[in-house]
Amino acid sequence: MSEAIGGPVNIAVIGCGRISASHLDAAAARPDAARILAVVDRDIALAQKAAAPFGAHAFATIEEALALTAVDAVLIATP
């Protein structure tokens, strides 16, 4: 949620292709507004690499990420 109503939005990012780096960088620039909670990619190694700087969970399926009750929003970074 926004700072005024309880803190950053917990985001699950779906997809670890080229564009995802821009989204992840934007979230890192605004830790007061956004927190990367989970990263999903079919290639679990890519998900783990993208998730590591944020201390986020890495998953191979969307269903696993959505099982986290703390997820507030999903950012779809796929073609």
Side-chain angles (χ1 to χ4, degrees):
M1 301 290 146
S2 73
E3 179 121 355
I5 55 174
V9 174
N10 292 316
I11 300 171
V13 177
I14 312 299
C16 291
R18 285 182 287 156
I19 195 65
S20 69
S22 295
H23 294 295
L24 293 167
D25 289 345
R30 290 293 314 270
D32 60 315
R35 176 176 175 245
I36 302 301
L37 185 66
V39 179
V40 179
D41 198 275
R42 282 188 271 189
D43 182 338
I44 191 65
L46 282 178
Q48 291 168 334
K49 184 177 177 182
F54 301 96
H57 302 277
F59 298 110
T61 70
I62 295 168
E63 292 81 9
E64 291 172 301
L66 295 180
L68 297 175
T69 58
V71 171
D72 296 318
V74 175
L75 191 155
I76 302 173
T78 61

